[in-house]
Amino acid sequence: MVTKKVLLAHTGGTIGMRRGERGYAPSAGYLAELLARMPELSDPSLPSVELVEFAPLLDSADMVPSDWSRIAAEIARRHDEVDGVVVLHGTDTMAFTASALSFMLEGLAKPVIVTGSQVPLAELRSDARENLIASLQVAAMPGLHEVCVYFSGRLLRGNRVTKVSATGFDAFESPNEAPLATVGVDIALRQGAARPARPGRLAVRELRDVTVAAVRLFPGVSARFMAHVLQEPLEGLVLETYGAGNAPTRDPRLLAELAAAVARGVVVVNTTQCLRGRVDMRGYATGTALAEAGVTGGADMTPEAALTKLIYLLGSGMAPDEARAAMARDLRGELTE
Ligand code: ASP
């Protein structure tokens, strides 16, 4: 039997953290020490593991888009030599990184499993060991060619996840899509759930820096506040609206600010604050007003997927109109058309 090989890319996060005076923090070389004390990693049913540690290791609250590019570049560099990749990452911004990687890794032919834990591997009672071992197994499975998050017994599409618990082991959900697999006695992919392999070779484009923002609407949000957010050099905005994509319309100046920004070339995308369901700007007059202002419907995308998709599209050099059309299209399973 040929042993499969998985690249374990450690970017930081609780899973490999050490407790210090100021709370948990990443610690270079520490994870390697802990892994060396896990005899189960040499079990023949597991792939062989090659650990790559990023420098500096980050609490994922500190991650920025150029860190996603570094992770994508490392995966691209090693893609042809391994059967799959596990990315160890903090849970706080895992949904953003998993979404970003799904867009950035064009032509991905192997599984990339992003995981982490709520409690460090070094602690006695932790979710780290199970998340790590199951992720390694999934990363060696055939038939997966996309970025997933594995957490607490569930394999989820990376660009569909959102962090739903700050303390529970079941920290992630993909509210608008059933898990790709539920891990019990066996790990079985849901029939037809995995995306088909795309032709071509893996490529990661260099993205230019783009200026984007996300605003969660709230009762009383003013036109002045919106005008401030929409100022140059903003290029893209994820609007987190009410319900099926509605916004306050009593003050026409707020909509006028949005319309002026859209006319100037800002790509404004409508996602819902609700965990489940989708944006449909034709349902209510308060939604139609946004469509009339030129806001693009984000369907059932998470705000995390919408933000990272904007960064990817605009960063790849797309013009605003092209980016608006692509935002409404399914590129990597992130939305239901
Ligand atoms: N603050 C940590 C991080 O995101 C939390 C975690 O990993 O669970 O890196």
Side-chain angles (χ1 to χ4, degrees):
M1 198 178 79
V2 185
T3 310
K4 299 231 180 163
K5 191 163 159 189
V6 168
L7 177 73
L8 182 61
H10 179 32
T11 69
T14 294
I15 192 160
M17 285 189 186
R18 202 196 277 269
R19 196 199 292 272
E21 268 169 26
R22 304 180 66 233
Y24 288 124
S27 170
Y30 187 48
L31 187 85
E33 269 175 48
L34 297 172
L35 296 184
R37 283 186 243 144
M38 285 177 68
E40 59 270 49
L41 290 181
S42 22
D43 190 283
S45 65
L46 278 184
S48 76
V49 176
E50 188 186 326
L51 177 67
V52 171
E53 186 175 283
F54 280 59
L57 290 170
L58 292 175
D59 183 307
S60 76
D62 279 329
M63 287 253 174
V64 294
S66 60
D67 295 308
W68 307 334
S69 296
R70 280 201 307 141
I71 301 169
E74 181 62 20
I75 293 171
R77 200 171 69 78
R78 302 300 313 282
H79 179 261
D80 292 348
E81 300 156 31
V82 295
D83 295 285
V85 179
V86 172
V87 177
L88 297 181
H89 194 284
T91 60
D92 288 347
T93 64
M94 187 181 286
F96 290 92
T97 300
S99 293
L101 290 178
S102 80
F103 298 118
M104 293 164 87
L105 297 168
E106 300 172 20
L108 179 65
K110 313 220 165 132
V112 171
I113 312 300
V114 186
T115 195
S117 65
Q118 292 279 55
V119 177
L121 184 59
E123 301 285 329
L124 180 61
R125 200 172 53 79
S126 163
D127 52 338
R129 184 182 171 282
E130 198 277 323
N131 285 348
L132 171 64
I133 288 182
S135 294
L136 291 171
Q137 286 182 317
V138 175
M141 270 168 53
L144 262 184
H145 330 273
E146 59 184 298
V147 179
C148 302
V149 164
Y150 178 83
F151 223 88
S152 187
R154 287 184 302 185
L155 185 69
L156 309 167
R157 189 164 347 258
N159 51 33
R160 291 281 194 166
V161 302
T162 193
K163 186 173 177 181
V164 293
S165 175
T167 47
F169 283 173
D170 49 354
F172 289 91
E173 269 184 31
S174 56
N176 279 325
E177 191 184 60
L180 302 184
T182 306
V183 176
V185 176
D186 296 312
I187 304 176
L189 281 176
R190 180 164 56 81
Q191 192 79 33
R195 287 173 71 75
R198 288 186 299 272
R201 281 185 63 75
L202 176 61
V204 176
R205 286 175 220 225
E206 189 117 353
L207 302 184
R208 71 168 175 85
D209 281 345
V210 294
T211 308
V212 293
V215 168
R216 184 177 167 94
L217 292 182
F218 53 92
V221 58
S222 68
R224 244 182 99 208
F225 170 81
M226 201 53 89
H228 192 77
V229 172
L230 291 165
Q231 281 179 77
E232 305 230 19
L234 192 80
E235 295 167 84
L237 175 70
V238 175
L239 213 50
E240 296 180 35
T241 58
Y242 306 131
N246 307 317
T249 54
R250 274 165 76 184
D251 181 356
R253 286 172 304 178
L254 191 133
L255 292 158
E257 292 294 350
L258 285 167
V262 171
R264 221 174 54 225
V266 179
V267 180
V268 183
V269 184
N270 188 349
T271 63
T272 174
Q273 294 179 8
C274 296
L275 211 50
R276 269 176 267 282
R278 60 188 289 127
V279 163
D280 176 2
M281 290 189 278
R282 294 161 310 182
Y284 292 86
T286 49
T288 303
L290 284 179
E292 285 168 353
V295 170
T296 303
D300 57 354
M301 261 187 299
T302 61
E304 293 92 327
L307 190 91
T308 54
K309 189 171 172 181
L310 260 181
I311 292 173
Y312 164 72
L313 296 176
L314 296 174
S316 312
M318 262 194 194
D321 272 341
E322 231 185 314
R324 285 185 188 115
M327 283 306 294
R329 267 202 323 268
D330 172 20
L331 301 186
R332 308 276 196 273
E334 75 281 8
L335 65 78
T336 318
E337 278 184 31

